[in-house]
Amino acid sequence: NLTLLESLSVANNSLSGSLPSDFLLHFPNIAIFDLSNNQFSGTVPELNFTTTLNLVDVRLSHNRFTAMGAVSEPEFSVEKHKTVSLKLD
């Protein structure tokens, strides 16, 4: 159980495969989520800013994602979420 995890960075590891759409829901206290520079494919996991209130840094660029999952927050605030890098390559 990783509910207290605050930072997850696996950048630059040549990891591949797809991620479940509810991947981030298992980490309600996550603040930093960095999967950049790998070979992940499929749909970007759902970004639910209502349940992951601490999320301020999301880096998913330079992967093989082909679609964006849902972004759930009625009042998304870029000021709160300081870094959001979601480039689909």
Side-chain angles (χ1 to χ4, degrees), residues 16-52:
S16 63
S18 61
L19 300 171
S21 62
D22 65 347
F23 183 77
L24 279 175
L25 296 179
H26 301 285
F27 311 106
N29 290 307
I30 197 87
I32 299 168
F33 181 59
D34 186 355
L35 302 181
S36 62
N37 298 303
N38 283 291
Q39 301 296 316
F40 288 111
S41 59
T43 301
V44 171
E46 177 180 344
L47 298 175
N48 190 327
F49 294 105
T50 304
T51 58
T52 53

Side-chain angles (χ1 to χ4, degrees), residues 14-89:
S14 298
L15 299 175
S16 63
S18 61
L19 300 171
S21 62
D22 65 347
F23 183 77
L24 279 175
L25 296 179
H26 301 285
F27 311 106
N29 290 307
I30 197 87
I32 299 168
F33 181 59
D34 186 355
L35 302 181
S36 62
N37 298 303
N38 283 291
Q39 301 296 316
F40 288 111
S41 59
T43 301
V44 171
E46 177 180 344
L47 298 175
N48 190 327
F49 294 105
T50 304
T51 58
T52 53
L53 298 175
N54 298 326
L55 192 59
V56 294
D57 190 346
V58 179
R59 297 172 189 245
L60 304 174
S61 62
H62 303 292
N63 279 287
R64 295 182 178 180
F65 290 118
T66 55
M68 183 70 195
V71 175
S72 302
E73 182 180 30
E75 298 175 17
F76 180 77
S77 167
V78 173
E79 289 116 15
K80 177 183 173 192
H81 308 292
K82 295 177 178 68
T83 303
V84 180
S85 175
L86 303 174
K87 179 180 176 186
L88 298 179
D89 300 317

